[in-house]
Amino acid sequence: MRNLVNIFEMSPRDGLQNEKKFISTDEKVFLIDQLSQCGFNKIETSSFVSHKWVPQLADAAEVFSKINRNKNTKYTALTPNERGFNDALNANVDEVAIFTAASETFCKKNTNCDIETSLKRFIPITEKASKLNIPVRGYISCVTHCPYENFVNPKIVGQIAKDLFKMGCYEISLGDTTGKGTPDQTLEVVKECLKYLSADKLAGHFHDTYQNALDNINVCLENGIKTFDASVGGLGGCPYSPGAKGNVATEKVNKLLLSKGYETNLDRDRLKECSVIAQKLILN
Ligand SMILES: [Zn+2]
């Protein structure tokens, strides 16, 4: 299917991680089970991160043990360190993700080290994952703007994308964490990354704070990128990026893609239901 575009569902992880009110494990499992009926290839289910950093996702192992897995769906998790990676293995995670940022200040606030060190820290994970045949995805945050440094140099993004790929990431997801990225800036970032990687190794991860996400996705599509991260109901901000609103809503991205003649293999009615479930979860 030449026209297939993948939407990587983020709501259980990126969508919920910043929620102050603790969403119960059963509520998370219910959302994920409903998402499993929508036709997603991949659902980022949780994060094996320190409970201190992200208390909302402290139940990652329990979530993984309780979900009803759809055999056509891969259930993925963020693994910030080796301990998290081992926990993810124990929970039978299908795929893991590692992350860094294109801004030194954001990287320090988020991971307590500079970009270079953050990349080095992941080498034991990518090596072990490769031996075990576990796919590793790489995230780069703040690809156009940083909440602390403002503009980010696209050349830095290109270099990091190259490094993550060399380390063994099968795909690099370019994250506009603040949602401030304009289509022109997105284009610059994409062009830099395409110097080193082909479009099928790249994904777009846009937050819709300023309603730029769909325009940025269009820029990516025009450059051959065919995977986009999104969250049903537009869930999710970022704890280290004050004011950043949620991921672009899955149902919005799906509608855009269908209107442009792409296929997504997602069930629109079920997506709508999931969007309602997701938004109810975060209402107090
Ligand atoms: Zn995000």
Side-chain angles (χ1 to χ4, degrees):
M1 284 205 276
R2 226 162 47 91
N3 257 345
L4 184 70
V5 174
N6 284 305
I7 300 183
F8 198 138
E9 177 59 28
M10 292 281 133
S11 58
R13 196 279 299 170
D14 203 19
L16 293 182
Q17 67 180 12
N18 196 31
E19 268 308 305
K20 293 216 166 52
K21 181 190 76 161
F22 186 76
I23 314 287
S24 74
T25 305
D26 286 346
E27 286 175 303
K28 287 171 187 148
V29 169
F30 180 69
L31 172 66
I32 296 159
D33 284 350
Q34 297 305 307
L35 290 168
S36 292
Q37 307 300 315
C38 291
F40 292 109
N41 287 332
K42 290 177 183 177
I43 299 174
E44 192 144 281
T45 305
S46 195
S47 172
F48 289 86
V49 65
S50 157
H51 300 179
K52 265 186 273 171
W53 291 359
V54 188
Q56 181 66 258
L57 302 181
D59 57 355
E62 205 186 340
V63 167
F64 269 93
S65 74
K66 286 189 167 174
I67 50 171
N68 289 307
R69 297 189 190 213
N70 181 327
K71 63 173 172 30
N72 299 317
T73 305
K74 300 253 183 286
Y75 299 87
T76 75
L78 212 62
T79 53
N81 50 40
E82 270 184 277
R83 209 197 63 190
F85 179 73
N86 291 332
D87 291 346
L89 286 182
N90 287 332
N92 268 323
V93 170
D94 296 310
E95 171 178 320
V96 298
I98 58 177
F99 55 91
T100 187
S103 135
E104 288 292 358
T105 316
F106 189 89
C107 193
K108 279 205 184 84
K109 300 235 181 207
N110 208 353
T111 53
N112 276 318
C113 63
D114 60 24
I115 297 171
E116 205 187 326
T117 312
S118 80
L119 289 170
K120 278 188 190 147
R121 278 186 190 171
F122 287 123
I123 291 174
I125 294 184
T126 52
E127 283 178 347
K128 198 168 172 188
S130 139
K131 278 185 201 138
L132 297 167
N133 265 324
I134 307 263
V136 181
R137 193 175 198 235
Y139 284 105
I140 309 176
S141 300
C142 302
V143 296
T144 54
H145 285 85
C146 161
Y148 313 102
E149 292 182 15
N150 203 10
F151 292 112
V152 167
N153 182 349
K155 289 198 185 319
I156 294 174
V157 183
Q159 289 297 331
I160 299 172
K162 186 176 80 174
D163 290 344
L164 283 168
F165 186 71
K166 252 199 216 159
M167 283 167 57
C169 293
Y170 75 92
E171 180 175 271
I172 317 301
S173 174
L174 304 170
D176 178 12
T177 312
T178 62
K180 282 188 180 165
T182 62
D184 286 348
Q185 290 167 324
T186 301
L187 180 62
E188 289 306 309
V189 170
V190 169
K191 275 187 183 165
E192 274 304 319
C193 294
L194 287 173
K195 285 184 186 169
Y196 310 106
L197 303 173
S198 55
D200 62 336
K201 305 286 187 287
L202 298 169
H205 179 113
F206 297 102
H207 283 240
D208 210 14
T209 324
Y210 304 99
Q211 283 84 50
N212 293 342
L214 294 184
D215 292 336
N216 290 334
I217 287 174
N218 273 323
V219 167
C220 291
L221 286 167
E222 283 160 15
N223 285 277
I225 296 176
K226 292 212 167 161
T227 300
F228 298 98
D229 301 350
S231 287
V232 287
L235 246 57
C238 171
Y240 304 99
S241 178
K245 283 202 188 124
N247 272 167
V248 63
T250 308
E251 55 276 18
K252 263 170 94 171
V253 180
N254 190 49
K255 199 173 158 192
L256 171 83
L257 293 171
L258 296 179
S259 77
K260 296 181 80 97
Y262 292 103
E263 288 168 46
T264 60
N265 289 342
L266 295 176
D267 183 322
R268 280 172 104 168
D269 294 331
R270 286 187 189 270
L271 264 191
K272 253 186 225 157
E273 285 168 27
C274 284
S275 162
V276 174
I277 293 168
Q279 283 177 329
K280 268 190 194 156
L281 276 187
I282 59 166
L283 285 177
N284 277 303

